[in-house]
């Protein structure tokens, strides 16, 4: 590695194995933070002020912090979602933002299906019944669940993950598929017989509504009290997207009042979910701690892709998966002229 390459400085935060940190250290000086909190924020900012690249999971970054990072060229997040990062400010400063799509698609779709199954068949509630010694006689209708196979699955946001959920539903469980997306999906329609619907129609027709759209100003509280009121009272809501896509207070009310039957939630407005949240205690809610992509294999693949994106950008071969690739291309073009 030549001296120019070695002069890169990288700040790494969370979710990187020792092997990947070593790989980064071969080409750059790396400041690694297991976590960033009040106790080490000043050190983190000092490192960021010298850094050319920032990589990690659950990165906290805002415009003011970017103003103190004049050398920063690339932010590589170990996630597909980037709603927690200031894209507009990154664009203005021509800082490349890379994410990790595709490698987490199948695992996150598995998580959605786990929540679908658990919610329909009351897995947690009935497992707790056994654990707590409440299984004393045969199980009667008060503990029966609802079929998954054959039920209508509504996918709100039929992108990479939404399509993978739809495939599981249609091919594995014989479920009719309805979907919303910004654009139509001819492949899903042809291969799975999926039908595109307006959101309100999807909500009214689906037995299971699964949220897999990104969080942004358009999808903030996409599922509010009105939307919940359109759903069948027998329906379940599954959210693997982001907490703020749903009006959580309205959801709690709908679950309490029987407006909808159940919910399976991997994401929340506040994470970690406060232990006193009603969602943590309701029998008709299955909660998981934001584990959509959290398997050994997938988290390793995400971290590897994030490292490849970071090094590709700094060293020059280019990022594999960038959110704002035009920023990098423009920088490249300017260099050539
Ligand atoms: P993606 O391929 O970009 O899919 C997003 C889909 O949402 C696209 O089909 C898009 O339509 C559609 N969409 C955009 N705005 C919409 C709106 N207002 N209403 C309905 N649909 C809308 O992204 P992905 O890789 O599937 O990931 C989706 C999201 O899942 C991520 O942004 C992330 O927040 C979340 N996620 C969560 C976890 C977890 O741990 N729980 C893990 C991974 C991802 P077009 O295709 O027409 O553009």
């Amino acid at each position: 590695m030549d001296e120019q390459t070695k002069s890169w400085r990288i700040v790494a935060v969370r979710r990187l194995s020792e092997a990947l940190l070593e790989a980064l250290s071969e080409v750059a000086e790396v400041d690694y933070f297991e976590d960033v909190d009040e106790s080490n924020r000043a050190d983190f900012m000092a490192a960021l002020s010298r850094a050319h690249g920032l990589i990690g999971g659950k990165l906290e970054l805002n415009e003011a912090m970017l103003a103190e990072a004049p050398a920063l060229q690339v932010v590589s997040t170990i996630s597909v979602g980037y709603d927690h990062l200031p894209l507009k400010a990154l664009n203005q400063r021509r800082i490349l933002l890379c994410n990790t799509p595709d490698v987490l698609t199948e695992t996150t779709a598995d998580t959605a299906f786990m929540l679908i199954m658990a919610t329909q068949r009351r897995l947690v509630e009935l497992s707790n019944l056994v654990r707590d010694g409440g299984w004393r006689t045969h199980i009667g209708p008060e503990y029966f669940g609802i079929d998954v196979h054959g039920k209508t699955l509504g996918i709100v946001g039929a992108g990479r993950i939404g399509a993978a959920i739809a495939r599981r539903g249609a091919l594995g469980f014989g479920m009719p598929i309805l979907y919303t997306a910004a654009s139509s999906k001819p492949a899903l329609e042809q291969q799975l017989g999926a039908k595109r619907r307006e959101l309100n129609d999807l909500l009214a027709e689906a037995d299971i509504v699964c949220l897999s759209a990104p969080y942004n100003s358009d999808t903030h509280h996409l599922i509010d009290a009105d939307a919940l009121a359109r759903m069948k009272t027998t329906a379940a809501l599954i959210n693997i997207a982001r907490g703020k896509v749903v009006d959580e207070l309205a959801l709690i009310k709908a679950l309490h009042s029987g407006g909808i039957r159940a919910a399976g939630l991997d994401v929340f407005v506040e994470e970690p979910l406060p232990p006193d949240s009603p969602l943590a205690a309701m029998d008709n809610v299955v909660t998981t701690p934001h584990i959509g992509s959290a398997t050994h294999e997938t988290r390793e693949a995400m971290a590897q892709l994030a490292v490849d994106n970071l090094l590709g950008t700094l060293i020059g071969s280019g990022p594999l998966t960038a959110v704002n690739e035009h920023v990098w291309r423009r920088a490249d073009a300017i260099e050539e002229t």
Side-chain angles (χ1 to χ4, degrees):
M1 212 46 70
D2 62 29
E3 283 312 305
Q4 162 64 28
T5 309
K6 275 187 190 163
S7 66
W8 300 120
R9 297 192 70 119
I10 292 170
V11 175
V13 187
R14 294 185 199 98
R15 292 194 187 173
L16 284 154
S17 64
E18 273 179 32
L20 285 176
L21 285 172
E22 245 177 70
L24 289 173
S25 303
E26 276 172 25
V27 294
E29 279 193 48
V30 180
D31 288 299
Y32 180 60
F33 294 84
E34 192 67 50
D35 208 347
V36 180
D37 55 28
E38 285 321 306
S39 68
N40 63 357
R41 198 169 300 282
D43 293 340
F44 172 76
M45 283 310 302
L48 190 67
S49 71
R50 300 185 296 265
H52 301 98
L54 172 64
I55 183 170
K58 293 196 179 293
L59 293 171
E60 284 170 37
L61 198 61
N62 58 37
E63 214 170 331
M65 291 162 78
L66 286 178
E68 291 183 43
L72 199 62
Q73 295 182 26
V74 52
V75 173
S76 185
T77 177
I78 307 178
S79 64
V80 68
Y82 49 86
D83 47 283
H84 57 303
L85 295 167
L87 181 59
K88 204 169 150 199
L90 289 166
N91 284 341
Q92 277 164 358
R93 290 176 179 275
R94 292 176 42 196
I95 296 170
L96 192 70
L97 173 61
C98 301
N99 65 344
T100 59
D102 301 318
V103 291
L104 49 51
T105 293
E106 298 300 327
T107 295
T108 309
D110 287 348
T111 303
F113 238 87
M114 173 185 74
L115 288 171
I116 291 173
M117 297 292 287
T119 306
Q120 294 293 97
R121 298 303 301 272
R122 302 167 64 177
L123 176 73
V124 176
E125 184 189 354
L126 297 182
S127 175
N128 286 344
L129 181 84
V130 177
R131 194 182 58 184
D132 298 343
W135 183 24
R136 299 225 174 82
T137 179
H138 67 276
I139 289 300
E142 70 273 27
Y143 291 124
F144 288 177
I146 308 257
D147 280 342
V148 175
H149 67 272
K151 291 287 188 266
T152 297
L153 178 58
I155 309 278
V156 177
R160 289 170 292 240
I161 295 168
I165 298 167
R167 278 196 300 279
R168 281 158 177 72
L171 304 178
F173 291 81
M175 302 171 89
I177 306 295
L178 307 176
Y179 75 92
T180 69
S183 55
S184 67
K185 306 292 171 198
L188 277 191
E189 295 181 16
Q190 280 154 25
Q191 290 159 13
L192 307 179
K195 295 189 171 69
R196 191 175 180 199
R197 289 281 191 271
E198 292 300 321
L199 178 63
N200 286 345
D201 295 333
L202 180 150
L203 293 170
E205 285 178 55
D207 298 305
I208 299 162
V209 174
C210 190
L211 307 179
S212 50
Y215 175 69
N216 54 41
S217 54
D218 290 339
T219 59
H220 177 78
H221 285 192
L222 189 67
I223 304 300
D224 58 9
D226 282 349
L228 290 159
R230 291 177 195 280
M231 288 174 63
K232 297 178 183 177
T233 53
T234 50
L237 181 75
I238 307 297
N239 189 6
I240 58 91
R242 287 289 183 263
K244 287 187 275 187
V245 174
V246 177
D247 178 344
E248 220 170 64
L249 289 178
L251 175 63
I252 290 166
K253 271 191 197 160
L255 287 162
H256 264 310
S257 66
I260 67 169
R261 186 181 53 80
L265 308 171
D266 186 47
V267 287
F268 304 89
V269 170
E270 190 181 340
E271 295 180 4
L273 182 68
D276 61 352
S277 165
L279 293 172
M282 296 166 85
D283 276 340
N284 56 345
V285 179
V286 175
T287 53
T288 47
H290 201 147
I291 53 158
S293 64
T295 65
H296 291 292
E297 301 92 326
T298 294
R299 282 291 168 82
E300 273 170 34
M302 290 164 69
Q304 181 68 61
L305 176 54
V307 166
D308 292 343
N309 277 330
L310 184 88
L311 294 183
T313 306
L314 290 181
I315 292 169
S317 57
L320 296 170
T321 51
V323 172
N324 56 355
E325 201 171 355
H326 60 284
V327 171
W328 186 76
R329 285 210 176 116
R330 205 186 316 156
D332 198 39
I334 287 166
E335 224 167 71
E336 280 168 11
T337 53

